[in-house]
Every structure is written in structure tokens, then in C-alpha cells.
């Protein structure tokens, strides 16, 4: 790891009275969420006492959201611990990768496929055992009997207004966003809704449970998995919770038109390529689509007098994204994976594609994670003026080129 640059002089007076509530939105992408941490590291260095009253996350971004919302210290201190969490993370801290464990799960999958459903019971719930991740999160989130007690602590102090973690119910097929905060109101939209609760490690685990790869998590009478599966409007939870300006951190590289036309594979696509396309559609593409809808709503609202907008309201939006393709970057670090796990991923064809997006989402390797953190930091530094202007903007009015959204 290289030492982060000193950067500009830190600003402490970043939340003047009457400033619009800032919402932080962090999407999914598995190990790619380390990129978000790099961006936050820059932000904490520049604005060490930044107030972020509304924090939302989905999938691995939900882990970042949970720590920020539950940490007892300042924004700078919370981010410092978040960086430490990711820098210490290894594949073994996320799921069991020893040969006996992976082999036993594989045998059980084969038996289940060949059994014809005899007995009616689900015998295996995921491709890997994520018990290590649960134990790790319980420790770093300082959970008490599973509860993230730091969230209520920050709500009581007034430093936090709301936190939201999105999940997908495999039982009903709906997207369910779990929310904890003050003076909240539940919302319902087609195939997505909210529910007030006391957030726990179970909610974090459910939000980050990659489909099929990680086992679903039982909460109440339903089983939940990764929140990105059915969350068609990733910006929506922050807006429902009252955010007036939103900082959204994507982990998707925005290819140029020419880059998008270049093939990633030659010949028939291997399973890894198909999985990558599917996972991108779940975790990475929806934020871009929601941002586009937001921009179009902004254009419409410009033509509507304020008194006729009803419950529509302006929301400033700034989306940050990687300057390089994180999938292609993963190729450089694949040889350092644990031998058995590397053997299995190569069997899926990760070496046959130039951009193994599937691999980039499960590559919880310290070297890869460290590179993502550095990249997020440097990308934020490159947009310092734009970020500074956005953070310091103290009015809810929306400039001509700023997007808006509805709740």
C-alpha cells in the first residue's frame, strides 16, 4: 500500500446551518466495494468532520454503510476503521476456501441435482460457507447479540437521521429495504417496499449474499439474498429518507462507445463470462439507469412551476465511478488466489475472458483490495474541485445541469 497523498487542506466547517441533508449511496459489486472505501478515504481526508445524516447501501456497499452508520467516532475515524477492515480482509475471512469444505459442498450440490428432489428438503444453500464473514462482521461492527447498537447511539446523538440496507426476498420475490431512523415513513412501490426495524448483522449478511454463491439469510419467516437483485431504483431509499443531495459511488467503469464494441471473449462464452454479464446487470447497471431517469426528471421539473410539483422535489446528484475497468484489473491479481479456489474459478473460464467481472466480485485478496482503495482515492483526488463544490453547496436549489429525482 502506498501512503495516501496529503491532498488539500482539510475542511471542518462543511455543514452550515440549513444545509441540505446529504445522502451517501453505495452500490454492490462484492470485492469491488473496496473502491468505495478509497473514495471515502479521500473524502475523510478533505472533510474529516463531514456530516452524512443519511446512509444507504446494498450488497457489499451495505457493509460499508453499516459501519459508517454505527461507528461512534467522527466521519474521519469511521472511515479509518473502514479502511482497516478492508485492508485486513482475505478470501478466508469471507468464506471457507479449504479443499475439504469446497469439495463437500460440491458433492452435496451434485447429490441434490441427482436426487430428483427426494425428501423435499433443501440440502445445500450456497456454493460456499460464509460463516467466516458473519464472524468477521460481528467483530468489526461491534454487534451486541447481533444488533448494530451504534446506529441507535448515533440516532440519539443526532449525528444520523437514517440508515437503509436493501435485500431481496427469495420467498416473495420483492425488494425489501430495511430502514432504521427517526420519524420515518414506510413506502411501497411495484415489487419494492421498506420496513422499519433494528438493523442487525443478519441484515448486512442478507444484503451482501451473492445469488447462489452465498447462502440466503433467514429473517423472520422469509429468506433474503443480495439486495441488488430486485432493487430497480438504487437512489430511491436515500430520497425516501429525506436526502436533498446524494453522493453515489458506483463500481462500474463507464466504457467509451469504442471500448464497448470490443469483444471480451473469442468463441463461445465460458460460464464466467455469462456470470459476469448477469452480475453486472444486477449490481452495476441499475445505478446508471436510475441516474439517467433522474436527469430526465430534472428536465421535466424545470418546465413545471414549483407550486405544481406535488411531492416531487429537487435532489442534487453526483455519481463517482472508476477510471479503469475493475474487471480487467482483476486479471493481474488472480494468480494469488488460494490454490483450490483458483482452480475452481479457472474451471469456470475466468482466464478465457479479458474482463472477468465475476472474478472481480469474489477476489477478496489484500493486493487487489489495496489497489482498489488506492484507485478510489486517486480518482476522487482527480475530481477534487467538483467534489468540493458539491459537498460545500449550501442550498437545495438545483443548478441547471444537476439532476433531480422523486421519492
Amino acid at each position: 500500500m502506498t501512503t495516501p497523498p496529503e491532498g488539500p487542506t482539510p475542511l471542518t466547517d462543511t455543514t452550515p446551518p440549513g444545509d441540505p441533508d446529504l445522502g451517501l449511496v453505495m452500490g454492490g459489486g462484492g470485492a469491488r466495494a473496496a473502491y468505495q472505501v478509497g473514495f471515502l478515504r479521500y473524502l475523510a481526508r478533505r472533510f474529516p468532520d463531514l456530516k452524512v445524516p443519511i446512509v444507504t447501501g446494498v450488497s457489499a456497499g451495505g457493509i460499508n454503510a453499516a459501519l459508517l452508520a454505527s461507528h461512534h467516532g467522527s466521519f474521519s475515524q469511521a472511515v479509518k476503521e473502514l479502511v482497516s477492515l478492508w485492508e485486513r480482509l482475505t478470501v478466508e475471512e469471507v468464506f471457507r476456501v479449504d479443499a475439504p469444505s469446497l469439495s463437500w459442498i460440491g458433492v452435496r450440490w451434485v447429490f441434490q441435482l441427482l436426487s430428483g428432489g427426494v425428501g423435499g428438503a433443501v440440502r445445500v444453500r450456497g456454493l460456499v460457507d460464509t460463516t467466516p464473514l458473519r464472524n468477521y462482521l460481528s467483530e468489526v461492527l461491534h454487534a451486541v447479540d447481533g444488533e448494530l447498537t451504534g446506529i441507535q447511539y448515533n440516532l440519539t446523538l443526532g449525528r444520523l437521521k437514517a440508515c437503509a440496507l436493501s435485500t431481496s426476498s427469495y420467498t416473495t420475490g420483492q425488494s425489501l429495504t430495511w430502514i432504521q431512523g427517526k420519524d420515518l415513513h414506510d413506502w411501497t412501490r411495484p415489487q419494492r417496499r421498506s420496513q422499519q426495524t433494528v438493523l442487525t448483522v443478519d441484515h448486512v449478511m442478507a444484503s451482501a449474499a451473492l445469488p447462489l454463491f452465498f447462502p440466503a439469510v433467514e429473517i423472520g419467516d422469509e429468506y433474503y439474498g443480495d439486495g441488488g437483485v430486485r432493487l430497480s431504483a438504487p437512489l430511491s431509499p436515500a430520497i425516501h429518507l429525506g436526502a436533498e443531495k446524494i453522493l453515489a459511488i458506483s463500481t462500474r467503469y463507464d466504457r467509451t462507445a469504442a471500448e464497448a464494441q470490443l469483444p471480451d471473449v473469442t468463441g463461445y462464452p465460458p460460464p464466467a463470462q455469462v456470470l459476469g454479464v448477469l452480475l453486472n446487470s444486477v449490481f452495476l447497471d441499475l445505478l446508471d439507469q436510475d441516474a439517467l431517469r433522474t436527469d430526465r426528471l430534472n428536465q421535466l421539473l424545470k418546465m413545471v412551476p414549483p407550486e405544481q410539483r406535488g411531492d416531487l422535489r429537487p435532489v442534487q446528484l453526483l455519481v463517482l465511478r472508476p477510471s479503469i475497468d475493475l474487471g480487467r484489473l482483476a486479471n493481474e491479481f488472480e494468480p494469488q488466489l488460494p490454490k483450490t479456489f483458483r482452480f475452481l474459478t479457472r474451471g469456470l473460464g475466468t482466464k478465457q475472458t479479458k474482463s472477468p467481472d465475476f472474478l472481480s466480485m469474489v477476489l477478496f485478496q489484500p493486493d487487489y483490495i489495496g489497489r482498489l482503495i488506492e484507485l478510489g482515492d486517486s480518482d476522487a483526488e482527480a475530481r477534487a474541485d467538483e467534489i468540493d463544490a458539491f459537498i460545500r453547496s449550501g442550498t437545495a436549489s438545483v443548478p441547471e445541469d444537476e439532476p433531480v429525482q422523486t421519492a
Side-chain angles (χ1 to χ4, degrees), residues 23-27 54 56 58 166 187 192 231-243 245-249 286-295 313 315-319 403-407:
L24 182 61
V25 174
M26 290 174 285
I54 297 168
T56 74
V58 60
S166 295
W187 65 85
R192 56 186 174 91
L231 186 60
S232 58
L235 301 175
S236 176
I239 296 168
H240 281 292
L241 295 174
K245 59 181 183 180
I246 295 175
L247 191 59
I249 313 175
L286 294 177
L287 178 59
D288 293 331
Q289 296 169 14
D290 204 14
L292 178 61
R293 285 194 297 266
T294 294
D295 184 59
R313 57 183 174 81
V315 174
Q316 299 179 43
L317 173 65
L318 180 61
V319 179
V404 300
Q405 176 64 293
T406 68

Side-chain angles (χ1 to χ4, degrees), residues 380-394:
E381 186 78 41
R383 298 181 65 178
D385 291 343
E386 185 180 3
I387 294 169
D388 286 5
F390 181 82
I391 295 296
R392 299 181 67 178
S393 60

Side-chain angles (χ1 to χ4, degrees), residues 106-119 123-124:
V107 168
R108 293 171 65 193
W109 268 107
V110 171
F111 177 78
Q112 181 169 321
L113 291 172
L114 297 178
S115 69
V118 175
R123 300 177 180 85
V124 60

